[in-house]
Amino acid sequence: MAFKFQINNDVTFNHDTKLLKKAAQLTPKLTEKVVHPVMLTKVVPNKSKLDQVGMEKVADVSDLDQMKFQRDGKVVLDFGRHYVGKFKLNIRHVGSPQDAPLALRIKFAEVPAELTYESADYDGWLSKSWIQEEVFHIDQLPVELTLPRRYAFRYVELTVIDTSPKWSAVFSQPEVTAVSSADERTLTPIKLTDPDLQKIYDVSVDTLHDCMQEVFEDGPKRDRRLWLGDLRLQALANYATFGNNDLVKRCLYLFGGMTAQDGRIVANVFTSADPQPDDTFLLDYSLFFISTLYDYEQHTHDQTALTDLLPVAQKQMDYALQYIDQNGVFHEDEDYPVFVDWSNEFDKTTSGEAIIIYVLKQFMTLLKETQQETQKYAAVLQKMVTYSLNELFDPAKNLFVSGDQAEVNVSSQVWMTLADVMPAKQAHDVMATAEKELFPIKGIATPYMYHHVAESLLKSGLKQDGIRLLKSYWGKMIDLGADTYWEAFEPENPDYSPYDNPIVSSYCHAWGCTPAYLIKKYLLN
Amino acid sequence: MAFKFQINNDVTFNHDTKLLKKAAQLTPKLTEKVVHPVMLTKVVPNKSKLDQVGMEKVADVSDLDQMKFQRDGKVVLDFGRHYVGKFKLNIRHVGSPQDAPLALRIKFAEVPAELTYESADYDGWLSKSWIQEEVFHIDQLPVELTLPRRYAFRYVELTVIDTSPKWSAVFSQPEVTAVSSADERTLTPIKLTDPDLQKIYDVSVDTLHDCMQEVFEDGPKRDRRLWLGDLRLQALANYATFGNNDLVKRCLYLFGGMTAQDGRIVANVFTSADPQPDDTFLLDYSLFFISTLYDYEQHTHDQTALTDLLPVAQKQMDYALQYIDQNGVFHEDEDYPVFVDWSNEFDKTTSGEAIIIYVLKQFMTLLKETQQETQKYAAVLQKMVTYSLNELFDPAKNLFVSGDQAEVNVSSQVWMTLADVMPAKQAHDVMATAEKELFPIKGIATPYMYHHVAESLLKSGLKQDGIRLLKSYWGKMIDLGADTYWEAFEPENPDYSPYDNPIVSSYCHAWGCTPAYLIKKYLLN
């Protein structure tokens, strides 16, 4: 994820060297794979909308080193799928001696639409520095130009800003060294009878693959960091696919090793240099440390990690329970908000109540596994469930309501279902009602929220509705050309970008990777 | 220089390894000097013309590391004078953790006017790649950013394209390692009573200093290469100042070592990698190889160099004499033109005739010094001088005429005077007439042509007219803010740029450096 800014740069952090050392020791060696473009292309003109931009083949890759480029000459290399890695290229010149530097712009794009925007025109609030574009002045040709930075892309646009009228630039041997900590050899292919679902599954595996680097990154184009909300979903998809459990463990230790002095875990950490916590705090994200540890333990039964990390987990729960009153009612603190989704157009109180219930149950299981007392937490849980069923559920509507205005929204039904607040039969009925009354969903732009909707449908037995949602959301992205799932997508508004411009949007984003998990857990058996 | 394009990329060149090896052995070790900015400035707004743009101090350099920069923040470092060298800078960040790369544009400018133009708006014929501007994306701060390329500049503009809303960039310790093959310790300062002439002298020394690198470059911003026309003038200024005779010798061996298969020397060579001749041929530039060798021998009496290079010199003269008919008349070949000046708005026939006479005399002196026969050349010289005095001189006008239309122009008088075609008294009268009839000069934009005008005035005894020209041309550039002399300047049109934009003009250009030579030779005794 990546969204609103919190600035808390006066917060002091603990650095638990024992935990951080374990995290460092778990740093994966990335697999490297050299790949070459599959064709030379150009952007199809007169189509500037995200869902209408296409690429057109202009030549075979083998033609590249016969092509001469002067001022404003350009070509787009299509690598055939999304990659994360480093790019290099040989450049020579033909004609008279090189009487001026070569000025060359190289732009990396995950989707064709990015190539239709001029970087200088972008004026959104998100940093322009994320635009994947470099300009080089090369005084001496020939050169093997190896770019030092890592990029996320399918397309590489080479634009000659200028040579001189006396000579031309010629490009050859473009290649990418693609990197990932996902090892394809550990992936057991699955074969689905429904080709659409198969494609949805495959793209989710690619998305996860490209986000798996030295940590589970949220997006390899942007922000390239470890967010707890994304980590929880990536870990679930990882168990269903690559099974790199040590990478999950490393990420848990990173979060566990850098808590604020009040004990809270931050929403995300930076890991490109020495690990450093961000200064953003979200109540649900802090709690998902527990959830991620719970899922990890379900898959690994790693007692050492549990012993190391349960005390940190407990602090998250104890901190969160400050916001639960004696009647089991959750009161949100604006300095420690629940995220639930990017959208702030719906009331999140009931979702927050449900998320705390969801995590509290997992936490109590972990306590029991370590033979610890759960009574205190059981009492709170009981109150919260009772309050939820008695006060938040509206029997007339057969739906949960949220907030002072008794707002009915999708998220409340979804999280109460995921939290197992109701018996299975009732959950089925609630979700069926939600599907009938509240679908198609409007105003939700994140695969993160759509994941929870899809899982609540599948979990409550509404299998066909779940499949329909997988196809109408993740499948729709594929219809629009997605090679990997996007950070943001509103099916009812396919051009929507949270940043008003695709040039800084992330089109390979971790929280979209969950179909592999959902399909394997709910649809394969 | 640098001007019109010739493309002769089918020409084959000789590479005389013996001569090129000597050139390589003479490669100078550059002196390095670390310099720091003298103040922080900004461009004075609402003044976009070259002669009206100024800088205004905004802070002391010591304030820099207290200044915070976010999107679009900028500051201009003023280094106090023109330098050629490499730039480095420390950058850190303050505020929240660095959640995005720093995108930074660094622009180097010789004159303030360059900072008022957007690079993207330049669309002239000269390569955009000369624009001294780089964009960096820095993923990890703090950093010591050392730019690998060399720049020519007085001003360095730092513009933050973006940080993020959560943090700011802070700059510190900007410095330049200035380079030159001119050793200031070899310079004997001169003291002139006229402060204007003193300033004109000093700026010419600075201009020469910054153009003296591994060869005598034409311009350290652009084109950074060795042109014969510039070399001849730089060598004269060098004898009067730094006295780095080995650098002249190196340049002579570079030209001598790479002739075309027909024997001609090219107008310029590239030396940034393995030496390579350009494919441009100009008759007067080829001949000035002889002239430069002659001047070198006058100052050094280097017999080995003379023995090595006279055969190459002879080929230039023999090739040029093909264009002299039996009556001593020069016929220009459009494939091997005489340059004389950038302007093609005047007839160059008489100038060409005079230039050949000028060089022929020097060549015959060199032949005599090596005890070689000059008879054949003396016969041609005699015919050329006779033809010039009888047919090209118009006694009624007391001026030389040029071409079929008997055009009267400044250049003809200048070169006939420099070639000593007339007795001294007559030359004085011709130049006095020229000064009266043809001044102020119009339509000439190069210090190269102005140098020859000034020398012809001083040589013919018109000392006050010579001084007046020094002040009205080179002195005017200083009035307009020049720290070093410019590639192009028309006093009657101070905004003139041969490229329609100052952003690619060279404001430290070798052929402007001759006042040091002229003042020392004609005004100091």
Side-chain angles (χ1 to χ4, degrees):
Chain A
M1 72 164 278
F3 195 48
K4 283 173 303 181
F5 291 117
Q6 286 180 14
I7 296 185
N8 299 299
N9 56 23
D10 53 346
V11 173
T12 312
F13 286 91
N14 308 303
H15 282 255
D16 185 322
T17 49
K18 184 188 143 207
L19 299 186
L20 290 175
K21 192 174 168 191
K22 288 197 179 187
Q25 285 166 343
L26 291 163
T27 307
K29 183 165 162 40
L30 302 184
T31 63
E32 296 192 346
K33 185 175 167 186
V34 173
V35 289
H36 300 97
V38 297
M39 66 173 106
L40 307 181
T41 59
K42 65 174 183 181
V43 178
V44 176
N46 301 323
K47 293 186 175 180
S48 67
K49 288 183 180 294
L50 179 62
D51 62 340
Q52 293 177 12
V53 179
M55 303 300 291
E56 195 173 285
K57 179 173 176 174
V58 295
D60 289 325
V61 176
S62 58
D63 296 331
L64 183 62
D65 77 352
Q66 272 83 56
M67 295 165 76
K68 298 175 187 177
F69 296 90
Q70 290 194 319
R71 182 183 291 186
D72 297 332
K74 69 170 69 178
V75 67
V76 178
L77 312 173
D78 178 357
F79 280 82
R81 56 152 281 184
H82 188 277
Y83 288 105
V84 177
K86 295 196 174 181
F87 177 73
K88 75 174 192 180
L89 177 72
N90 287 355
I91 315 171
R92 65 181 199 277
H93 85 288
V94 293
S96 290
Q98 193 196 350
D99 60 356
L102 168 67
L104 174 67
R105 179 166 53 236
I106 305 183
K107 198 166 174 176
F108 297 86
E110 296 184 309
V111 299
E114 291 173 75
L115 299 175
T116 65
Y117 286 85
E118 279 300 316
S119 305
D121 297 339
Y122 169 72
D123 199 34
W125 60 270
L126 198 74
S127 180
K128 299 179 186 190
S129 64
W130 287 117
I131 299 169
Q132 296 189 123
E133 180 180 288
E134 312 284 355
V135 172
F136 297 94
H137 290 89
I138 300 164
D139 293 312
Q140 199 64 48
L141 296 172
V143 72
E144 181 182 280
L145 182 69
T146 303
L147 277 59
R149 303 176 72 215
R150 197 198 73 182
Y151 305 93
F153 59 98
R154 170 172 171 172
Y155 305 100
V156 180
E157 183 185 69
L158 307 174
T159 306
V160 169
I161 296 172
D162 219 341
T163 55
S164 97
K166 295 186 69 170
W167 55 272
S168 302
V170 176
F171 303 114
S172 62
Q173 293 173 264
E175 67 174 49
V176 167
T177 301
V179 291
S180 173
S181 55
D183 184 344
E184 287 169 43
R185 291 167 302 180
T186 63
L187 182 68
T188 310
I190 68 160
K191 190 72 199 157
L192 299 166
T193 50
D194 181 331
D196 293 339
L197 280 182
Q198 181 71 48
K199 184 76 186 151
I200 289 168
Y201 176 91
D202 292 343
V203 171
S204 83
V205 171
D206 286 348
T207 305
L208 177 64
H209 177 277
D210 285 359
C211 293
M212 284 174 72
Q213 301 295 334
E214 291 196 349
V215 294
F216 285 98
E217 296 185 12
D218 63 332
K221 172 182 172 186
R222 203 213 83 242
D223 315 329
R224 309 181 194 161
R225 54 180 140 139
L226 174 59
W227 283 89
L228 240 168
D230 302 69
L231 170 63
R232 170 174 151 262
L233 301 189
Q234 282 169 298
L236 291 172
N238 168 67
Y239 303 132
T241 55
F242 298 106
N244 187 344
N245 297 346
D246 274 354
L247 191 66
V248 182
K249 185 176 177 180
R250 165 170 156 76
C251 295
L252 286 167
Y253 275 90
L254 280 167
F255 279 112
M258 297 185 293
T259 52
Q261 289 216 313
D262 62 15
R264 285 183 298 165
I265 284 180
V266 287
N268 67 90
V269 299
F270 300 93
T271 58
S272 57
D274 286 341
Q276 187 183 13
D278 189 24
D279 55 6
T280 300
F281 294 89
L282 300 168
L283 182 137
D284 45 350
Y285 273 42
S286 297
L287 286 179
F288 286 147
F289 177 80
I290 300 168
S291 194
T292 309
L293 179 61
Y294 170 86
D295 294 331
Y296 173 74
E297 290 299 327
Q298 296 296 303
H299 287 85
T300 65
H301 310 289
D302 178 345
Q303 286 304 313
T304 309
L306 186 57
T307 307
D308 284 344
L309 298 172
L310 193 53
V312 185
Q314 184 153 16
K315 282 190 182 150
Q316 308 318 305
M317 185 50 75
D318 291 347
Y319 202 100
L321 294 187
Q322 295 177 59
Y323 304 103
I324 306 297
D325 70 16
Q326 56 188 7
N327 300 316
V329 182
F330 167 59
H331 300 275
E332 191 179 12
D333 179 340
E334 65 177 21
D335 289 335
Y336 195 32
V338 283
F339 172 71
V340 187
D341 184 64
W342 271 355
S343 170
N344 284 325
E345 303 300 306
F346 66 92
D347 187 275
K348 298 180 178 179
T349 326
T350 295
S351 302
E353 184 91 21
I355 288 169
I356 298 170
I357 293 170
Y358 174 88
V359 180
L360 195 46
K361 290 178 174 177
Q362 295 176 324
F363 175 62
M364 288 166 61
T365 304
L366 294 177
L367 285 181
K368 285 173 194 157
E369 281 184 15
T370 53
Q371 288 77 45
Q372 294 184 61
E373 189 54 65
T374 61
Q375 203 175 342
K376 166 183 140 196
Y377 301 104
V380 179
L381 176 63
Q382 180 58 43
K383 285 184 190 169
M384 293 182 77
V385 171
T386 303
Y387 169 72
S388 297
L389 291 174
N390 292 350
E391 304 297 331
L392 298 178
F393 186 69
D394 180 335
K397 294 192 167 101
N398 198 30
L399 291 169
F400 287 86
V401 296
S402 188
D404 295 341
Q405 308 298 314
E407 176 186 300
V408 173
N409 60 42
V410 174
S411 181
S412 306
Q413 324 312 319
V414 162
W415 274 107
M416 285 293 174
T417 299
L418 295 175
D420 278 326
V421 171
M422 307 158 277
K425 173 69 181 69
Q426 188 183 354
H428 177 279
D429 291 350
V430 166
M431 286 309 300
T433 305
E435 203 280 340
K436 194 172 156 208
E437 302 287 335
L438 306 175
F439 283 37
I441 296 167
K442 300 270 186 224
I444 298 293
T446 67
Y448 178 80
M449 184 74 237
Y450 269 93
H451 159 80
H452 294 112
V453 178
E455 179 152 31
S456 65
L457 290 170
L458 294 167
K459 179 181 163 73
S460 61
L462 295 163
K463 184 173 164 182
Q464 290 313 316
D465 296 303
I467 292 172
R468 200 178 307 125
L469 192 69
L470 280 167
K471 292 186 177 181
S472 65
Y473 192 73
W474 288 267
K476 181 76 183 292
M477 284 189 253
I478 293 172
D479 290 345
L480 295 173
D483 300 299
T484 48
Y485 295 123
W486 307 339
E487 176 184 27
F489 176 56
E490 271 189 1
E492 72 274 25
N493 180 18
D495 281 330
Y496 170 78
S497 159
Y499 317 109
D500 299 327
N501 194 314
I503 209 164
V504 291
S505 294
S506 169
Y507 292 99
C508 174
H509 218 72
W511 64 18
C513 77
T514 56
Y517 157 74
L518 296 171
I519 288 168
K520 199 151 179 187
K521 178 165 181 182
Y522 295 105
L523 300 176
L524 207 58
N525 302 321
Chain B
M1 72 165 278
F3 195 50
K4 284 173 302 184
F5 290 116
Q6 286 180 13
I7 295 184
N8 298 299
N9 56 23
D10 53 346
V11 172
T12 310
F13 288 89
N14 307 303
H15 282 254
D16 184 323
T17 50
K18 184 187 141 209
L19 300 186
L20 290 175
K21 192 175 168 192
K22 288 197 179 187
Q25 284 166 345
L26 291 163
T27 306
K29 182 166 161 42
L30 302 184
T31 63
E32 296 192 346
K33 186 176 166 184
V34 173
V35 289
H36 300 97
V38 297
M39 66 173 108
L40 306 182
T41 59
K42 65 173 182 182
V43 178
V44 176
N46 303 321
K47 294 184 174 180
S48 67
K49 288 183 178 294
L50 179 60
D51 63 341
Q52 294 177 9
V53 180
M55 303 299 290
E56 196 174 284
K57 178 172 175 175
V58 295
D60 290 324
V61 176
S62 58
D63 296 331
L64 183 62
D65 78 351
Q66 272 83 56
M67 295 164 75
K68 298 176 185 176
F69 296 90
Q70 289 194 321
R71 182 185 291 187
D72 297 333
K74 68 170 70 178
V75 67
V76 179
L77 312 174
D78 178 358
F79 279 82
R81 55 152 283 183
H82 188 276
Y83 288 105
V84 176
K86 296 196 174 179
F87 177 73
K88 75 174 192 182
L89 177 73
N90 286 355
I91 315 172
R92 66 182 199 277
H93 85 287
V94 293
S96 290
Q98 191 193 351
D99 61 356
L102 167 67
L104 174 67
R105 179 168 52 234
I106 305 183
K107 198 166 174 177
F108 298 86
E110 296 183 309
V111 298
E114 291 172 76
L115 298 175
T116 65
Y117 286 84
E118 278 300 317
S119 305
D121 296 339
Y122 170 71
D123 199 33
W125 60 269
L126 198 74
S127 180
K128 299 179 187 191
S129 64
W130 288 116
I131 298 171
Q132 297 189 123
E133 181 180 289
E134 312 284 355
V135 171
F136 297 94
H137 290 90
I138 301 165
D139 293 313
Q140 198 64 46
L141 295 173
V143 73
E144 180 181 281
L145 182 67
T146 302
L147 277 58
R149 303 176 73 215
R150 198 198 72 183
Y151 305 93
F153 60 97
R154 170 172 170 171
Y155 305 101
V156 180
E157 183 185 70
L158 307 174
T159 307
V160 168
I161 297 172
D162 219 341
T163 55
S164 97
K166 295 186 68 171
W167 54 272
S168 302
V170 176
F171 303 115
S172 61
Q173 294 173 264
E175 68 174 47
V176 167
T177 301
V179 292
S180 174
S181 55
D183 184 344
E184 287 169 42
R185 291 168 304 179
T186 63
L187 182 68
T188 312
I190 68 160
K191 190 73 199 154
L192 299 167
T193 50
D194 182 330
D196 292 339
L197 281 182
Q198 181 72 48
K199 185 74 187 153
I200 289 168
Y201 176 91
D202 292 343
V203 171
S204 83
V205 172
D206 286 349
T207 305
L208 177 65
H209 178 277
D210 284 358
C211 292
M212 284 174 71
Q213 301 296 334
E214 291 197 349
V215 294
F216 284 98
E217 295 185 11
D218 63 333
K221 173 182 170 185
R222 204 215 81 244
D223 316 325
R224 308 181 196 162
R225 53 180 140 140
L226 175 59
W227 283 88
L228 240 168
D230 302 69
L231 170 63
R232 171 173 151 263
L233 302 189
Q234 283 169 298
L236 292 172
N238 169 66
Y239 302 133
T241 54
F242 298 107
N244 188 344
N245 298 344
D246 274 355
L247 191 66
V248 182
K249 185 176 176 180
R250 166 168 154 77
C251 294
L252 285 167
Y253 274 91
L254 280 167
F255 279 113
M258 297 185 294
T259 53
Q261 289 218 311
D262 61 16
R264 285 182 299 164
I265 284 180
V266 285
N268 68 88
V269 299
F270 301 92
T271 59
S272 58
D274 286 340
Q276 188 183 11
D278 188 24
D279 55 6
T280 299
F281 294 90
L282 300 168
L283 182 137
D284 46 351
Y285 273 41
S286 296
L287 287 179
F288 286 147
F289 178 79
I290 300 170
S291 194
T292 310
L293 179 61
Y294 170 84
D295 295 331
Y296 174 74
E297 290 298 327
Q298 296 297 302
H299 287 85
T300 63
H301 311 290
D302 178 344
Q303 287 302 312
T304 309
L306 185 58
T307 307
D308 282 345
L309 299 173
L310 193 54
V312 185
Q314 184 153 18
K315 281 190 182 151
Q316 308 317 305
M317 185 51 75
D318 290 348
Y319 202 100
L321 294 186
Q322 296 177 59
Y323 303 104
I324 307 298
D325 70 17
Q326 55 187 7
N327 299 316
V329 182
F330 167 58
H331 300 275
E332 191 179 10
D333 179 341
E334 65 178 21
D335 288 336
Y336 195 33
V338 283
F339 172 70
V340 186
D341 184 65
W342 270 356
S343 170
N344 284 325
E345 301 301 306
F346 66 92
D347 186 275
K348 298 181 179 178
T349 324
T350 295
S351 302
E353 184 91 21
I355 288 170
I356 297 171
I357 293 171
Y358 174 88
V359 178
L360 193 47
K361 289 177 174 177
Q362 295 175 326
F363 176 61
M364 286 166 63
T365 304
L366 294 177
L367 284 182
K368 285 174 194 158
E369 280 182 16
T370 52
Q371 289 77 46
Q372 293 185 63
E373 189 54 66
T374 62
Q375 204 177 341
K376 168 182 139 196
Y377 299 104
V380 179
L381 176 62
Q382 180 58 40
K383 282 185 192 169
M384 294 183 78
V385 170
T386 302
Y387 169 71
S388 297
L389 292 173
N390 292 350
E391 304 297 331
L392 298 178
F393 186 68
D394 181 336
K397 293 190 167 106
N398 197 32
L399 290 168
F400 288 86
V401 296
S402 188
D404 295 342
Q405 309 297 315
E407 175 185 299
V408 172
N409 61 41
V410 174
S411 180
S412 305
Q413 325 312 318
V414 162
W415 274 107
M416 283 295 175
T417 299
L418 294 175
D420 279 325
V421 170
M422 306 158 278
K425 173 69 180 71
Q426 188 184 352
H428 178 278
D429 291 349
V430 166
M431 285 309 298
T433 306
E435 203 282 338
K436 194 173 155 209
E437 302 286 335
L438 305 175
F439 281 38
I441 296 167
K442 299 271 185 229
I444 297 294
T446 68
Y448 179 80
M449 185 75 237
Y450 270 92
H451 160 80
H452 294 111
V453 179
E455 179 152 30
S456 65
L457 290 170
L458 294 168
K459 178 183 164 73
S460 61
L462 295 164
K463 185 172 162 182
Q464 292 311 318
D465 296 305
I467 291 172
R468 199 177 307 126
L469 192 70
L470 279 167
K471 291 185 177 180
S472 66
Y473 192 71
W474 287 268
K476 182 76 186 292
M477 282 190 254
I478 293 172
D479 291 344
L480 294 174
D483 299 299
T484 48
Y485 295 123
W486 306 338
E487 176 183 28
F489 176 55
E490 269 189 1
E492 73 274 24
N493 179 18
D495 281 331
Y496 170 79
S497 160
Y499 317 110
D500 299 327
N501 195 312
I503 209 163
V504 292
S505 294
S506 169
Y507 292 98
C508 174
H509 217 73
W511 64 18
C513 76
T514 57
Y517 157 74
L518 295 171
I519 288 169
K520 198 149 181 188
K521 179 165 182 181
Y522 295 104
L523 301 176
L524 206 60
N525 301 320

